[in-house]
Amino acid sequence: MASGEKKMVLHMSIAAHQLLSKLLRPKLSGHDWRSLADCMGFTYEDILDLECDMDPVVSIIRQWEKQDGATVEKLLLFLEKIERPDVIEDLEPFIESTPLPSEYRKSDIKERRLSLELERLTVSDEIFDAFICYAKEDRSFAYKILTTLESPPFCRKICIDYRDYVPGNCRIDQTAKIIEHRCIRLIAILSPNFTSSSSAGFQVRIALNLSPDFQQRRVIPILYEECEIPEILRPIYYLNYKDLDDCERPHFWKRLASSLGYVPKGSPQVQLKGHRSPYNSPSGSPQNLRKINDTSLTDKNDRNKSSKEKKERSFNDKHKLRGFNLLKSRKCQ
């Protein structure tokens, strides 16, 4: 170990973070995550806000571990202060396997990425358009999404756990790697079962952590049954399935498939290769669009003017011909 080098909470495995969440979430006055947050320096107002979070333990750990002094040693002192020796004991094997900061050199990161690419995570080594996140009670609807999106005309590649996971790996780590490295989007089936499922909430948080500012559309929520939308998903526009009738459902599937990259044949959104629509280009500002509209209007006026002139020429030529024929007949007489 390098002199003075200490293990960081940031470098602990996902399984260790999940264990902290499991052990500290139950309400134990003076011994739960609220007490830990207080030790970490969170204000009373911050803790009240975090109570509405789907997983407040993950939230406080993620925020605290960004600090320079967020060491494993300090975390253990906090756990000791709130009298949770059971958590310390359960974390010991994870702490032993946590690497030192010096092991996170750039060369090591490249090697880890290479090993991840070679690691067998799913039955087929392909990139999926979406990962289906659901509570086990909603498996029938998850299957309906799977079969509909993979069938024509959509033909999307969908990942679902019971069909695509390769057995033998740690389920938590495997899920995290698949969502991060193998799936472009995550479809979340929202229902009362979802809000009470820790595994479903964990999968959503992984996807959201990949784009915390919502710049990338990583999560696509579907309201399957009436429930309270989780706090972390409220900023995201969701698809409503529960209130649809038979006439409206075809539009639902088309919208869902479109969010995964499906483009209907003959759609005006399809562009020729190398062609850039002004509406989709950086120059497609309101001012530029106004210029385009003005140009179109000018072209239309020019066409109308040309058509009018053509009719007038035809009319004059017709009368000239009649006059010529009349003059010719008089000469013949």
Side-chain angles (χ1 to χ4, degrees), residues 87-105:
V87 181
I88 296 174
E89 183 179 352
D90 291 343
L91 280 177
E92 283 182 359
F94 296 101
I95 294 172
E96 290 178 4
S97 61
T98 300
L100 294 166
S102 60
E103 298 175 12
Y104 273 80
R105 296 189 302 268

Side-chain angles (χ1 to χ4, degrees), residues 24-69:
L24 293 173
R25 259 187 301 169
K27 290 186 177 181
L28 296 172
S29 180
H31 309 285
D32 58 7
W33 68 268
R34 296 166 186 80
S35 303
L36 180 63
D38 183 56
C39 293
M40 290 177 173
F42 287 85
T43 65
Y44 177 72
E45 290 75 14
D46 292 335
I47 296 173
L48 287 179
D49 290 338
L50 287 167
E51 285 182 346
C52 301
D53 202 329
M54 182 182 290
D55 194 333
V57 183
V58 171
S59 297
I60 65 169
I61 294 294
R62 290 300 182 195
Q63 293 181 43
W64 180 71
E65 68 186 5
K66 294 177 182 178
Q67 302 177 16
D68 293 336

